[in-house]
């Protein structure tokens, strides 16, 4: 006896169609807000002369890390400028900054919520597993349907793909705070909020920053995929090079992404060490 196929695809399409019709104003508002946010960052970054921005970023890298990272930042950004990928790099940087800010604003509160309730953790853990194991390309399909072609679906996909590490490590960092310190705070009559903001979060800062660092790297890894739906930046140059079989151009654009990834990784890794 042949078992009939479960019409899962039809159910999903029906659900997406319902979401499109019922929440179209909400999606338009989100798209306009995210688009304006990215445009603001692009405008700010483009107003600053390239040499000044290179020196500022190199100075930040030197301050939070060491002189070798500062020198690498200066030389790497100067190479990107020389190769002619400065504006695409700024677009990519704005996309990553926007994705990471949204991931932090949503991910950290959810991670805190998970840390305060075992039931919430049990419910959200398989959802986070699903978000991290689902192929990134799949996220582009509903993003295009809800938000159209452009940078917004790329950012939405990046946020979904990059947010789980922030949530997980925020939850983990708070749960790893020594129990004797938490009990001492309880003994002194601390409220839940006081205990969270004065004991747990400060001690969990290193772990939370590690999650943010991972979100930055995952968000940057999405730039090429986001270019498939019209997102600007270095990913679009890589995509064009692939479709036109231009090995040299693809290498230059890919090298620019690698340089930007190393700079963001080293800076984000060492910010928390500098504070400690």
């Amino acid at each position: 006896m042949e078992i009939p196929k479960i019409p899962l695809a039809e159910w999903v399409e029906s659900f997406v169609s319902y979401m499109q019709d019922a929440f179209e104003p909400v999606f338009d508002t989100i798209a306009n807000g995210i688009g304006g946010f990215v445009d603001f960052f692009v405008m700010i970054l483009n107003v600053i002369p390239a040499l000044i921005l290179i020196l500022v970023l190199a100075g930040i890298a030197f301050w939070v890390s060491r002189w070798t990272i500062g020198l690498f930042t200066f030389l790497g950004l100067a190479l990107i400028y020389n190769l002619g990928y400065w504006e695409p790099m700024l677009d990519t940087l704005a996309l990553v900054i926007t994705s990471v800010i949204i991931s932090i604003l949503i991910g950290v509160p959810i991670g805190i919520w998970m840390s305060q309730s075992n039931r919430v953790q049990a419910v959200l853990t398989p959802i986070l597993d699903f978000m991290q194991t689902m192929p990134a390309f799949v996220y582009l399909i509903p993003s295009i349907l809800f938000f159209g072609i452009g940078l917004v679906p790329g950012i939405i996909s990046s946020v979904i793909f990059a947010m789980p590490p922030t949530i997980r490590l925020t939850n983990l960092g708070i749960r790893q705070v020594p129990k004797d310190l938490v009990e001492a705070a309880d003994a002194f009559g601390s409220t839940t909020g006081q205990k969270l903001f004065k004991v747990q979060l400060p001690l969990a800062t290193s772990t939370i920053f590690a999650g943010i660092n991972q979100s930055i790297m995952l968000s940057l890894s999405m730039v090429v995929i986001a270019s498939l739906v019209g997102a600007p930046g270095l990913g679009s140059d890589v995509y064009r090079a692939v479709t036109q079989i231009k090995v040299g151009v693809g290498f230059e654009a890919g090298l620019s992404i690698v340089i930007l990834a190393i700079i963001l990784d080293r800076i984000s890794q060492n910010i928390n060490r500098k504070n400690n």
Side-chain angles (χ1 to χ4, degrees), residues 7 20 29 43 46 56 78 130 166 203 273:
Q20 282 181 288
T29 302
M43 180 189 68
N46 277 288
V56 169
F130 177 85
T166 297
L203 293 175
R273 296 176 187 173

Side-chain angles (χ1 to χ4, degrees), residues 57-81:
L57 293 176
I60 293 173
F62 172 76
W63 181 65
V64 301
S65 185
R66 55 186 185 273
W67 71 268
T68 53
I69 301 301
L71 179 62
F72 175 84
T73 300
F74 178 82
L75 295 177
L77 294 177
L79 177 61
I80 292 174
Y81 181 81

Side-chain angles (χ1 to χ4, degrees), residues 212-225:
I212 294 173
N213 172 263
Q214 291 300 308
S215 292
I216 292 173
M217 294 297 99
L218 290 174
S219 178
L220 189 54
S221 71
M222 282 289 292
V223 296
V224 177
I225 298 176

Side-chain angles (χ1 to χ4, degrees), residues 99-158:
S99 300
V100 171
I101 289 176
I102 296 174
S103 296
I104 293 173
L105 292 178
I106 299 176
V108 171
I110 293 178
I112 293 173
W113 188 29
M114 284 181 65
S115 70
Q116 305 301 308
S117 171
N118 292 330
R119 181 175 297 177
V120 172
Q121 178 177 247
V123 171
L124 291 183
T125 296
I127 297 176
L128 295 176
D129 293 338
F130 177 85
M131 292 169 64
Q132 288 187 289
T133 54
M134 177 68 71
F137 286 95
V138 177
Y139 295 131
L140 297 178
I141 301 172
S143 297
I144 293 172
L145 293 176
F146 294 145
F147 301 103
I149 298 295
L151 63 87
V152 174
I155 290 177
I156 297 297
S157 301
S158 298

